[in-house]
Amino acid sequence: MKDSLLLPVIFLVLLIVCSVLLGVGYLMYQWDVQYVPSTPPNLHWAVAAAPAALRTIFVPAALAAFFLVIMRVARRPGVPFFSLLFSLAMLFAGLHYGLIAVNRLEALQAGSVNRSYNPILAGRFNLLGGGIVYPQKVDGDALGPTLVVSPQAKLAFSVQQSGRYDQSGSKLIFGAGKLTLPVRPPNPNLSPVLAPRGFLSGFVSDIMALSAFLERWNRESRVNFAIALGGVVLFSVGAIGFAWVTRWPLLNVFLVAVCFRLLFWLFTLFTNTVATDAFALVVPARYMPLAPSIGLGALGAIFLLWDIAFIRPPVRE
């Protein structure tokens, strides 16, 4: 019973660890995307980008933490019924309250002042994607008198009296839009390493689609958000039975990993036109936007019933 009671604590610790690791990795990727040769990432940039990074990686971090919890349950199952029950409760609560918390943190940061990050530094030459700029003064996103060297301009060398940094377009704008310089060229060092490719690219795409789906309902409706989470949680907890399905631990780990990949793949499958038409035959119209999660929940419920009825964890000697 002690092993079952410890699961929520272990999950919380693993969730924090996975969030930190994935968050740091995502910030590195963001620096790759927002690369400026003359401006290395600093604490100001990291603090400004951290809430959005945490929101982006929270769902995969929670599911990664739960995958590791399943690995522990495979070795130390405790009381199987209570392990399943606690797993349901802790994963649902972790995703539900965690997503609400990170969204509030991001909203709080967005409402604060002086949180924008301007990579352009005053009193030095800044090498950019479209040339070189030397501003005398930088105040937030506003630039004072600036020496501009750009082959794209009519004058290769010019002094602009004022300008501003446009974060949304990642560019510098001078002279009421008459001169525009792209700030960020492609990163020649990190892009090949950090850009997801092949199987990993599809995996990341499916995870981001699921995260966006949950984010949408978190913003629009608490009830629908709970339903959307419920399907993901049921399917994830149903995967626990595969940790005990054979005598070979490594094969069981592989089967659990396949279940989690199946979770993301099925979600993407359930959002296509053919699946939507099939769901329309059995799902009320008002719940059709939640059809992918309802489908996952139905499969997860079948997995759970199968786990309870037929799967027995190995007896520890």
Side-chain angles (χ1 to χ4, degrees), residues 19-303:
S19 296
V20 170
L21 292 177
L22 289 180
V24 170
Y26 186 76
L27 286 175
M28 290 178 61
Y29 173 75
Q30 283 299 301
W31 177 71
D32 180 31
V33 172
Q34 301 174 9
Y35 171 72
V36 178
S38 60
T39 308
N42 55 36
L43 183 60
H44 185 184
W45 174 84
V47 170
L54 183 59
R55 174 183 54 79
T56 302
I57 60 87
F58 187 79
V59 171
L63 292 176
F66 187 68
F67 175 83
L68 296 175
V69 167
I70 293 179
M71 296 302 97
R72 175 184 168 80
V73 171
R75 295 184 297 105
R76 306 175 69 93
V79 179
F81 176 78
F82 286 109
S83 294
L84 289 172
L85 185 64
F86 291 156
S87 296
L88 276 171
M90 71 187 185
L91 183 57
F92 183 87
L95 282 169
H96 185 270
Y97 294 108
L99 282 172
I100 292 174
V102 296
N103 274 277
R104 289 181 177 175
L105 177 63
E106 187 177 18
L108 180 64
Q109 187 246 28
S112 63
V113 295
N114 295 327
R115 287 294 188 178
S116 63
Y117 170 67
N118 186 346
I120 308 303
L121 303 179
R124 62 175 293 181
F125 289 98
N126 296 265
L127 177 62
L128 310 178
I132 299 173
V133 297
Y134 185 100
Q136 290 185 358
K137 181 181 179 182
V138 174
D139 184 9
D141 289 340
L143 279 66
T146 303
L147 171 64
V148 177
V149 182
S150 174
Q152 302 174 5
K154 292 182 179 179
L155 296 176
F157 293 84
S158 64
V159 176
Q160 302 293 329
Q161 294 304 311
S162 64
R164 63 183 178 88
Y165 169 57
D166 179 15
Q167 293 191 63
S168 60
S170 186
K171 57 189 177 183
L172 294 180
I173 301 174
F174 297 98
K178 294 180 180 179
L179 175 59
T180 301
L181 297 181
V183 171
R184 298 181 175 114
N187 189 333
N189 302 314
L190 298 180
S191 289
V193 177
L194 296 180
R197 301 172 184 274
F199 169 81
L200 184 59
S201 177
F203 184 54
V204 171
S205 177
D206 290 345
I207 291 176
M208 291 299 101
L210 177 60
S211 296
F213 177 78
L214 296 177
E215 278 292 323
R216 170 193 168 190
W217 292 114
N218 184 26
R219 293 190 303 268
E220 295 184 8
S221 168
R222 285 286 183 262
V223 174
N224 289 347
F225 177 48
I227 295 173
L229 274 182
V232 175
V233 170
L234 277 173
F235 193 95
S236 302
V237 175
I240 288 180
F242 290 91
W244 306 319
V245 73
T246 74
R247 291 184 177 182
W248 298 283
L250 289 179
L251 178 58
N252 294 340
V253 171
F254 174 76
L255 291 175
V256 173
V258 168
C259 281
F260 275 84
R261 181 64 186 98
L262 191 64
L263 164 67
F264 305 122
W265 180 78
L266 283 175
F267 172 81
T268 303
L269 177 66
F270 288 162
T271 56
N272 69 30
T273 305
V274 176
T276 302
D277 292 341
F279 280 125
L281 300 175
V282 293
V283 178
R286 62 180 296 189
Y287 293 115
M288 275 303 296
L290 293 164
S293 194
I294 293 173
L296 290 174
L299 288 175
I302 293 172
F303 284 168

